Amino acid sequence: MSLMKSLLGAAASLALSAGASFAEPALIFDLGGKFDKSFNEAAFGGATRWAEETGGSFREVELQSEAQREQALRRFAEAGLNPIVMAGFSFGSSLETVAPDFPDTKFVIIDMVVDQPNVRSVVFNEHEGSYLVGMMAAKASETGTVGFIGGMDIPLIRKFACGYVQGVKAVNPDAEVIQNMTGTTPAAWNDPVKGGELTKAQISQGADVVYAAAGGTGVGVLQTAADEGILSIGVDSNQNYLHPGQVLTSMMKRVDNAVYEAFSAGVDVETGFNVMGLANDGVSVAIDEFNEPLITDEMTAAVEEATAKIVAGEITVHDYMSDDSCPVM
């Protein structure tokens, strides 16, 4: 009997040890939900790709309110999930509070820097990708007026806008760029009706290409642009398929790769500061069967040349978040 107990005890210890080495990862989506066709959905795509390739499983949760952020982090950490990935900058303050309480748990936050020894902070050079789609917008525009619609008015979204305007002006210094933000609260990420209204307002001012960096709100921007017969530019995920022949391109922010890499590394995920930009496929423009007829050889050549020069340091795209200013706005 005692031998059996010893064997069972050893088996249990071995199982716990294996569980610690191969813990189940978790993903917490930001407000707007995992099927926002943009940022959150990109994160979900990365997690799904990892699960399909490895046969592994992961836990997930969609938040319904700001108050749930810390609660979700603590619940997953207490359950032994590791690593825990958060899609969105808004988790910053909650993670600052929770991470020290779970030193053996690895946390990965996207779009925010949290300086804790068990945290990996992933940020993107959105201004670089936005510069490229700005060039494309300027080349596609027939009116010389293009638009930008952001979600929540925060420095991160102004970073998108500033890169976009720089790209537009690089092609056409006389171009006009109309800019609107959807709101000042997290609700701005999930208001497609407001996105559509802003798009119509920009069209009335002459815009014939509109770039949406607004999460779920952008779905309304792209829909209205298609209904009104102008071009749009998607963001984060490849949104070209939503309105074939009407979406000029999408500025892909490879949140999927960030999640996939974190899940693949598992409990051994490297902590610290991580930047994803043009040089390491962190951002890119989407060209596929849905928008190929809209892409001219001149446009392709310009994007390829600018990409090479940005990577080489020959073109510097100003980062709004470096000094809270934009030289062309």
Side-chain angles (χ1 to χ4, degrees):
M1 188 68 175
S2 60
L3 177 60
M4 181 61 71
K5 285 184 177 179
S6 297
L7 290 172
L8 289 172
S13 298
L14 185 61
L16 286 172
S17 174
S21 301
F22 303 100
E24 190 177 28
L27 176 60
I28 308 176
F29 299 102
D30 209 343
L31 297 175
K34 68 180 178 181
F35 295 124
D36 62 357
K37 302 189 188 322
S38 187
F39 181 83
N40 284 307
E41 193 158 331
F44 180 61
T48 301
R49 172 159 44 111
W50 171 83
E52 291 175 346
E53 290 183 6
T54 64
S57 62
F58 63 94
R59 296 275 294 280
E60 63 179 69
V61 65
E62 297 181 70
L63 301 183
Q64 303 302 316
S65 70
E66 290 288 328
Q68 293 179 321
R69 294 187 191 281
E70 184 174 337
Q71 176 187 357
L73 281 170
R74 288 192 181 280
R75 186 172 77 245
F76 278 170
E78 289 168 353
L81 301 173
N82 197 2
I84 299 171
V85 182
M86 290 138 280
F89 67 92
S90 295
F91 288 94
S93 59
S94 296
L95 184 57
E96 287 277 11
T97 300
V98 174
D101 294 341
F102 299 92
D104 295 328
T105 300
K106 299 287 185 66
F107 298 92
V108 179
I109 186 167
I110 298 171
D111 279 352
M112 176 57 70
V113 177
V114 172
D115 188 15
Q116 295 287 345
N118 55 336
V119 173
R120 178 180 178 87
S121 301
V122 182
V123 298
F124 291 81
N125 289 341
E126 297 95 347
H127 54 302
E128 295 178 350
S130 294
Y131 182 95
L132 299 182
V133 300
M135 293 180 67
M136 296 173 73
K139 287 184 175 295
S141 177
E142 297 179 356
T143 65
T145 299
V146 299
F148 174 88
I149 296 175
M152 188 176 174
D153 190 358
I154 53 174
L156 175 62
I157 299 304
R158 290 190 175 273
K159 180 180 180 181
F160 280 86
C162 183
Y164 178 63
V165 177
Q166 288 174 81
V168 171
K169 297 288 187 179
V171 170
N172 180 6
D174 298 322
E176 180 180 358
V177 183
I178 305 167
Q179 299 179 58
N180 293 109
M181 297 292 180
T182 306
T184 57
T185 70
W189 302 119
N190 195 26
D191 193 346
V193 173
K194 182 68 175 293
E197 292 171 351
L198 292 173
T199 305
K200 287 183 178 179
Q202 293 194 355
I203 292 171
S204 72
Q205 298 173 70
D208 60 353
V209 186
V210 178
Y211 177 27
T217 297
V219 175
V221 175
L222 272 57
Q223 180 67 61
T224 302
D227 292 343
E228 298 293 325
I230 71 162
L231 295 173
S232 61
I233 297 173
V235 78
D236 293 344
S237 295
N238 183 350
Q239 298 180 317
N240 295 353
Y241 74 96
L242 292 175
H243 304 283
Q246 294 290 148
V247 180
L248 177 63
T249 188
S250 296
M251 200 295 281
M252 293 181 66
K253 177 175 169 178
R254 300 309 301 269
V255 177
D256 59 329
N257 287 346
V259 175
Y260 177 85
E261 290 170 9
F263 277 21
S264 296
V267 298
D268 296 321
V269 64
E270 184 178 349
T271 58
F273 186 60
N274 180 246
V275 181
M276 300 184 70
L278 284 177
N280 58 357
D281 297 322
V283 295
S284 63
V285 299
I287 298 177
D288 55 25
E289 68 271 27
F290 300 111
N291 71 333
E292 273 183 335
L294 303 172
I295 308 300
T296 64
D297 291 341
E298 179 187 1
M299 207 179 284
T300 300
V303 166
E304 290 177 351
E305 180 182 2
T307 298
K309 288 185 175 181
I310 291 170
V311 171
E314 297 173 30
I315 291 178
T316 299
V317 185
H318 182 78
D319 179 356
Y320 178 91
M321 294 181 70
S322 67
D323 60 3
D324 289 335
S325 72
C326 186
V328 294
M329 292 167 67

